[in-house]
Amino acid sequence: MDYDRPVQTANSGPDLAGEMAAALAAASIVFQDNTAYSKKLIKGAETLFTFARDFGKRTPYCRGNPYIEPFYNSTGYFDEYMWGAAWLFYATGNKSYISLATNPGLPKNSKAFYMIPDLSVPSWDNKLPAAMLLLTRLRIFLSPGYPYEDMLKSYHNVTGLTMCSYLQQFHVFNWTKGGLIQLNHGKPQSLQYVANAAFLASLFVDYMNATSIPGWYCGPNFIRAETLRSFATSQINYILGKNPMKMSYLVGYGTKFPKHVHHRGASIPNDNKKYSCTGGWKWRDSRNPNPHNITGAMVGGPIRTDNFQDIRTNYNYTEPTLAGNAGLVAALVSLTGSGGMSIDKNTIFSAVPPFYPPSPPPPAPWKP
C-alpha cells in the first residue's frame, strides 16, 4: 500500500477508552512474568480508564464522525465501564474497581437486567454478557461476600438467563434450517456473533465443571451443563464445515473454504508494485481467487437461508474481522481443553487481595 493512512484523535470516548483499558489490563495478567512490561500495561490501562471516566469527556467516540459513525456506531459506554473495571480489578487488586463494577448504576444505565435479547449477544459494541460472566467467575471461585454479593449474584443470574437464550428450545432467537443461531436476526456477517456466544457458553460450562456444578435452571427447567456445551460445539462445527454448504468458513481449514476473501493483502498479488487506495480496486473486483490465503481468518458467513456466495466484492459474505476471530480462537481453546476440570483458577486472581468482608451494618435499634 502506497498511500497515507491518517490517524484521528479522540478528545472524548468513554466506550473506546474503556475497551482499550480492559484490553491492556487483561494483557498485563497474561504477561505478568515480565514484571516491567506488565506494569507498563497496567499504567496504560489506568490512564485510559481515567480518561474514560472523565465526566467532561463522555461523548461516544463515534458521535458526529462521518468516517466512524455510519460503520462502527457505539450505542453506549456503561458496558465498557463494567468490562474495564472488572479487568482492572483483576489486574491490580484495587477494590475501587470492583466497587465500580458492582455499582448499581452500571447495570441500570446499561440496561443489563432488562433481559433484552440483543443485550445477551456479545459483540464489539456490547460487552455486557462478557463482563457479567467475568464477574460471575469472581463469585464462583472466590465468593467475596458482602458488600459485593448482591450485585455479583444478579450478574450470575443474568448470565444464566443469557445462556438459556442461546438454547433452541426456548425460542428466543431464530435458527437456520442448517442449525445456525441467528443472533443478529438474519443480518449479514452472522458468524462473529455466533463465535463469541459459543465461547461464552463453553466458558460458563468450564466454570460449572471446575466447581462440580452439574447445570443451572432456566425458569423451572434444569439444564445440564452438557446441553450448553453441545450448543457451543454445534455452532463451531457449523463454522468449520458441518453446514448445508459443506463449506468451512475458516480460510485454510478443510478442503472447501472461501477463496475470494474480502481482504486487501490477500487479494493483491506480490508483484513488487505499490498500489494506491483506488489502484487496488481492480484486484478487489477481479473474479480470480485470491493469490494469497489469509489462513485462519473466519469470514462473515452465510445468510439466514444457509446460503453463501464466495464473492470478494460482497464483504457481507467474505470479510474477516478481528472481533469474530477473537471469539472463534477463544471458543476453540475452551472446547478443545479439559472441559474445565483443570481450568486455571488462580492466575487471573493473582493480584486480588484476600477478601475479609466486614460485617454488615447492624439493624436500627428496635423501637416499640
Side-chain angles (χ1 to χ4, degrees):
M1 293 184 289
D2 191 22
Y3 57 90
D4 292 336
R5 301 293 296 270
V7 175
Q8 297 190 36
T9 300
N11 295 312
S12 68
D15 36 16
L16 180 61
E19 170 65 12
M20 292 172 68
L24 294 183
S28 75
I29 299 172
V30 174
F31 294 105
Q32 63 184 2
D33 289 342
N34 185 336
T35 304
Y37 184 51
S38 182
K39 288 182 177 179
K40 186 176 182 179
L41 290 168
I42 290 173
K43 182 179 179 180
E46 294 193 305
T47 301
L48 282 162
F49 203 66
T50 298
F51 177 88
R53 293 285 294 162
D54 188 326
F55 194 76
K57 299 177 180 178
R58 294 195 179 180
T59 302
Y61 85 107
C62 61
R63 183 72 55 81
N65 189 318
Y67 300 104
I68 300 176
E69 193 168 28
F71 309 103
Y72 301 105
N73 183 50
S74 175
T75 57
Y77 53 82
F78 287 97
D79 55 329
E80 277 86 9
Y81 281 171
M82 189 188 298
W83 183 235
W87 277 115
L88 276 163
F89 174 62
Y90 290 163
T92 67
N94 185 331
K95 289 188 177 180
S96 68
Y97 292 122
I98 188 60
S99 294
L100 173 60
T102 54
N103 185 303
L106 293 192
K108 178 182 178 181
N109 286 299
S110 63
K111 301 180 180 179
F113 299 157
Y114 283 37
M115 297 316 301
I116 300 171
D118 285 352
L119 294 184
S120 68
V121 180
S123 72
W124 57 268
D125 184 40
N126 177 34
K127 310 307 184 309
L128 281 177
M132 287 190 283
L133 178 59
L134 184 64
L135 291 162
T136 294
R137 179 175 185 141
L138 177 67
R139 182 174 189 252
I140 289 175
F141 292 125
L142 294 189
S143 188
Y146 179 85
Y148 313 110
E149 168 61 16
D150 285 350
M151 191 56 65
L152 291 177
K153 182 179 180 181
S154 295
Y155 291 157
H156 193 167
N157 289 340
V158 172
T159 295
L161 292 172
T162 293
M163 300 304 157
C164 299
S165 75
Y166 297 158
L167 301 179
Q168 193 169 11
Q169 69 192 78
F170 296 114
H171 308 290
V172 176
F173 294 98
N174 291 327
W175 290 62
T176 70
K177 291 183 179 179
L180 185 70
I181 189 172
Q182 296 288 280
L183 292 171
N184 65 336
H185 309 294
K187 296 176 183 177
Q189 299 185 322
S190 60
L191 294 188
Q192 60 176 291
Y193 307 100
V194 172
N196 279 283
F199 165 53
L200 295 191
S202 184
L203 190 59
F204 189 53
V205 175
D206 285 342
Y207 294 170
M208 288 190 283
N209 286 345
T211 50
S212 300
I213 297 173
W216 83 109
Y217 279 92
C218 295
N221 305 290
F222 182 77
I223 307 297
R224 298 194 65 81
E226 291 83 358
T227 301
L228 188 60
R229 180 82 78 185
S230 294
F231 157 77
T233 301
S234 71
Q235 298 308 290
I236 298 302
N237 284 344
Y238 184 106
I239 292 171
L240 297 180
K242 193 175 181 180
N243 56 65
M245 297 290 293
K246 294 181 170 41
M247 164 81 76
S248 165
Y249 295 114
L250 185 65
V251 178
Y253 181 82
T255 58
K256 183 182 179 183
F257 53 84
K259 302 293 178 61
H260 301 78
V261 180
H262 183 92
H263 185 273
R264 188 178 180 91
S267 59
I268 296 179
N270 183 14
D271 55 6
N272 296 316
K273 296 180 181 179
K274 294 182 178 180
Y275 294 94
S276 66
C277 179
T278 56
W281 288 0
K282 65 178 180 179
W283 306 112
R284 180 198 64 186
D285 299 335
S286 167
R287 294 188 178 184
N288 295 327
N290 286 355
H292 315 293
N293 276 336
I294 179 169
T295 303
M298 182 182 71
V299 297
I303 57 176
R304 68 180 72 189
T305 59
D306 293 303
N307 291 320
F308 175 82
Q309 296 183 39
D310 190 6
I311 301 174
R312 190 182 301 108
T313 51
N314 192 332
Y315 62 87
N316 285 328
Y317 288 111
T318 56
E319 183 181 39
T321 64
L322 292 176
N325 258 78
L328 176 65
V329 171
L332 289 169
V333 169
S334 178
L335 288 170
T336 57
S338 62
M341 297 305 179
S342 61
I343 190 172
D344 185 346
K345 303 177 186 178
N346 300 315
T347 301
I348 197 172
F349 299 129
S350 57
V352 175
F355 284 98
Y356 298 108
S359 299
W366 181 81
K367 293 182 180 180

